[in-house]
Amino acid sequence: MLCHEMKNKEVLNSSFKEYPLFIGVLYGDKIECEKFSKRLSCAIKHLPIRVEFNYESNTLEAIKKGIRVDPTFVLDDKILFEGLVQAEEITKKFEDILELLD
């Protein structure tokens, strides 16, 4: 699978039903979220994990959730990344998450 901008409700690695499924929400403006979703999909597509992508561009909703940085990626209701972080950081964080599942 090539790196690409994830669409709303799209699941990365969807065909691997045996992989754990996480729900992610990207908060921020459209352009920053597009960049982040592409970077995220590239960084974790090789890992045994599924992530459903959701987008929230409503600033008031973001503020209610404690979001202050654009973009912010929330995984299972926990802030995981703030800002446009490097792909290596994304990969490492998800590897750590998977290690905790073992």
Side-chain angles (χ1 to χ4, degrees):
M1 173 168 61
L2 298 175
C3 299
H4 68 286
E5 173 196 338
M6 300 296 292
K7 304 297 179 207
N8 196 47
K9 301 289 185 189
E10 183 177 354
V11 177
L12 182 68
N13 293 331
S14 62
S15 62
F16 296 97
K17 302 296 184 200
E18 68 276 15
Y19 291 176
L21 175 65
F22 293 89
I23 306 300
V25 181
L26 262 169
Y27 290 87
D29 75 57
K30 184 173 175 19
I31 293 172
E32 291 300 308
C33 285
E34 287 173 359
K35 290 178 193 175
F36 191 92
S37 76
K38 185 174 182 179
R39 188 172 292 180
L40 185 79
S41 71
C42 286
I44 66 171
K45 68 181 180 186
H46 66 286
L47 297 176
I49 191 169
R50 293 178 299 149
V51 177
E52 178 184 302
F53 282 74
N54 297 279
Y55 295 90
E56 179 59 69
S57 59
N58 182 313
T59 304
L60 292 177
E61 285 301 313
I63 290 170
K64 286 180 193 176
K65 297 278 187 179
I67 307 298
R68 303 282 187 257
V69 178
D70 190 17
T72 292
F73 183 71
V74 174
L75 187 72
D76 288 350
D77 294 322
K78 295 181 186 116
I79 294 176
L80 201 62
F81 300 108
E82 293 180 308
L84 203 54
V85 297
Q86 296 299 313
E88 295 81 13
E89 183 179 341
I90 296 169
T91 302
K92 175 69 172 115
K93 179 68 90 172
F94 275 92
E95 288 172 341
D96 292 347
I97 290 168
L98 289 170
E99 199 171 287
L100 292 173
L101 294 178
D102 285 340

